Each structure stands twice: as structure tokens, then as C-alpha cells.
């Protein structure tokens, strides 16, 4: 199973978070655990899983996805087995008998790797990053969308684009972030439409974030562009009285949400700009 498939499974599991406002576990100990989907329990596939888990943990602990482009990380991944403290498997087809000519070495498993801070934190230092261990602020995602046919503000229980809400939820997972969307009732009460939301100032955005139980606002516009052959996303994160802005264009909305979460995590972690 590919990473994309893994992410889609996580998105379904997190869909209820928009309704209940449940936060992902971000206690430091949880940051040092990662999962990968591997085929069977053989050594060769286990090494592949170790490399993936190491990369994911380094990103999650630092909040900086850009380190995946580092040549130094590739060198560390070649030694990934040295850094794993413990690991375990779960058969994804547990309870389903082996059929046809399939053997246990062909069955998909969840490989869970646990790392120690005393191992991971020095590796981050080698990569020029630092661990982000302070409590991660809950973000309110306040997004005005203009697709091919109409304009709307994305709500966690809205009917305009439920796939977008699932995609946003999935984008928070690799960085151990918690994001909340407003519900449709809040949007109606505040009379928030595309134009109104786009014009809110920092103080108004912070108040709206607080009203939906979040600590920090991430506001944005997501506009479909035929000429760009995709979506154009503009993001604005209000943090400590400062507005951080960035943009991405010509992408899917999945990539736009990943860009939003990666940019926000870099800022909040202190590991760089978006």
C-alpha cells in the first residue's frame, strides 16, 4: 500500500474530529512513534519500513517537512535500523485466513517503530533542526473557497465539499497538528461568506478562532484557476501578533492543504519560514 493510501485511511479515521473537536495526541512521547505499511515481516521490507518511519518521526518531532529533501537525511535513512528502539507488527488482514497461494510474507502489516528522544534529538541537530516539544496550538482553519461554479466558506459539517474537510484532516497527521473548521451554524451566525471572511483583520480572525475552540487562526483563500491548471491557495497565519503569508498555485486541494500545514508547522516550531 502506498503512502497516499495510508493517508486516505487516516483521513477517514479523523473525519469525526471535525464534529467532536477531538485533538490529536501531541504529548512528546507520542511524537517519537511512527507507522509504516510493509509487505510481510521479512528483513528487506522491514528495512524499508524503518527508513520511512525514521523520516516521519524526524518530520513530526521537528515540524519541518523540508528536511526530507536533505542529502544528510538520506544518509541517516541508510542506517535507520540503528536508531529504532523497538518495533512491532500488526497483520492488516488479521482474522482473514491465508488464501490462494498467498503466504504470510505477502500479507500487508502495520510496522510500528518507537524511537528514543536521546537518539532522535541529536539526529535533528545534525540536520540543523531542533525538536518542537512545546504544546502544539490548536489551529482554526478559516478558508474561503471559489471553485468552478460558486463561492463558500469551508465548514466541518458543510455539504459543499466534504472531501476537502477529509483532506485537511489528513494533512494534519504527519505533523501532529490539530486543526478545526467552523461549523455551518457558526458561519450563519457570523454571516461569514467568501467576501466577508477574506476581509477580516487579525483581531477578528483571532476572535473567530477562539469562538470555535482554537488558539490560533490560519486563514486562507482557495481559488480554482484554469490558467494555473489547479488551485491557487493564499495562507495567512496569525502568530504572536504577526501575520505570516505564503502562497502555492497550480495544485490539487490535497497539495494545498499539505502546503498549509507544512508552512504553519515550520513557523510555529521555529524551524523556518513557510
Amino acid at each position: 500500500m502506498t503512502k497516499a493510501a495510508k493517508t486516505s485511511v487516516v483521513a477517514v479515521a479523523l473525519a469525526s474530529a471535525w464534529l467532536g473537536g477531538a485533538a490529536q495526541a501531541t504529548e512528546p512521547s507520542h511524537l517519537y512513534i511512527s507507522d509504516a505499511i510493509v509487505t510481510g515481516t521479512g528483513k528487506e521490507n522491514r528495512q524499508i519500513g524503518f527508513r520511512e518511519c525514521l523520516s516521519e518521526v524526524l518530520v513530526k518531532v521537528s515540524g519541518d517537512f523540508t528536511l526530507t529533501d536533505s542529502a544528510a537525511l538520506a544518509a541517516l535513512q541508510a542506517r535507520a535500523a540503528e536508531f529504532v528502539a523497538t518495533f512491532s507488527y500488526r497483520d492488516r488482514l488479521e482474522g482473514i485466513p491465508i488464501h490462494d497461494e498467498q503466504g504470510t510474507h505477502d500479507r500487508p502489516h502495520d510496522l510500528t517503530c518507537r524511537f528514543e528522544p536521546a537518539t532522535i534529538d541529536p539526529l535533528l541537530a545534525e540536520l540543523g533542526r531542533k525538536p518542537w516539544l512545546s504544546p502544539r496550538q490548536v489551529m482554526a482553519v478559516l478558508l474561503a473557497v471559489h471553485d468552478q461554479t460558486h463561492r463558500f466558506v469551508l465548514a466541518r459539517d458543510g455539504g459543499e465539499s466534504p472531501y476537502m474537510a477529509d483532506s485537511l484532516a489528513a494533512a494534519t497527521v504527519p505533523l501532529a497538528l490539530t486543526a478545526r473548521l467552523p461549523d455551518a451554524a457558526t458561519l450563519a451566525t457570523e454571516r461569514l461568506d467568501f467576501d466577508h471572511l477574506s476581509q477580516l483583520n487579525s483581531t477578528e480572525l483571532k476572535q473567530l478562532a477562539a469562538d470555535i475552540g482554537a488558539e490560533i487562526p490560519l486563514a486562507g483563500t482557495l481559488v480554482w484557476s484554469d490558467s494555473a491548471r489547479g488551485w491557487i491557495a493564499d495562507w495567512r497565519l496569525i502568530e504572536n501578533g504577526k501575520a505570516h503569508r505564503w502562497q502555492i498555485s497550480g495544485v490539487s486541494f490535497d497539495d494545498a492543504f499539505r502546503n498549509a500545514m507544512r508552512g504553519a508547522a515550520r513557523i510555529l516550531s521555529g524551524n523556518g519560514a513557510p
Side-chain angles (χ1 to χ4, degrees), residues 80-158:
E82 299 176 24
F83 310 124
V84 177
T86 63
F87 65 91
S88 60
Y89 288 104
R90 185 184 71 83
D91 188 345
R92 294 179 65 85
L93 301 179
E94 185 177 0
I96 301 176
I98 297 172
H99 54 279
D100 299 326
E101 296 182 358
Q102 182 193 54
T104 56
H105 60 283
D106 297 316
R107 291 165 72 91
H109 286 70
D110 289 323
L111 170 65
T112 298
C113 293
R114 294 167 178 81
F115 300 83
E116 293 294 337
T119 300
I120 293 299
D121 295 357
L123 294 183
L124 286 174
E126 288 184 32
L127 295 168
R129 308 314 198 273
K130 57 185 178 182
W132 177 24
L133 303 180
S134 58
R136 301 192 178 185
Q137 295 169 294
V138 178
M139 286 186 296
V141 177
L142 309 168
L143 182 64
V145 181
H146 185 185
D147 63 16
Q148 295 94 325
T149 59
H150 65 307
R151 298 179 176 192
F152 60 93
V153 176
L154 187 63
R156 65 172 178 251
D157 57 346

Side-chain angles (χ1 to χ4, degrees), residues 62-82:
S62 68
D64 187 2
F65 187 83
T66 64
L67 63 76
T68 58
D69 297 326
S70 167
L73 174 61
L76 292 176
Q77 285 180 301
R79 302 163 47 210
E82 299 176 24

Side-chain angles (χ1 to χ4, degrees), residues 169-261:
T172 67
V173 175
L175 294 156
L177 296 173
T178 302
R180 290 182 181 168
L181 290 168
D183 58 23
T186 297
L187 297 180
T189 300
E190 299 292 336
R191 298 182 180 179
L192 286 174
D193 56 17
F194 183 98
D195 293 325
H196 185 189
L197 180 58
S198 302
Q199 295 170 6
L200 293 182
N201 61 36
S202 296
T203 300
E204 291 168 326
L205 290 171
K206 288 178 66 177
Q207 183 58 56
L208 183 56
D211 290 344
I212 64 174
E215 300 165 278
I216 190 167
L218 174 63
T221 58
L222 187 63
V223 179
W224 176 261
S225 170
D226 289 334
S227 60
R229 299 182 180 181
W231 295 91
I232 298 174
D234 284 280
W235 302 109
R236 176 168 46 133
L237 181 75
I238 311 301
E239 185 253 350
N240 289 332
K242 182 179 180 181
H244 304 265
R245 297 175 180 269
W246 66 102
Q247 182 189 83
I248 190 171
S249 64
V251 297
S252 67
F253 63 72
D254 294 307
D255 284 334
F257 292 141
R258 282 190 281 266
N259 174 259
M261 294 300 107

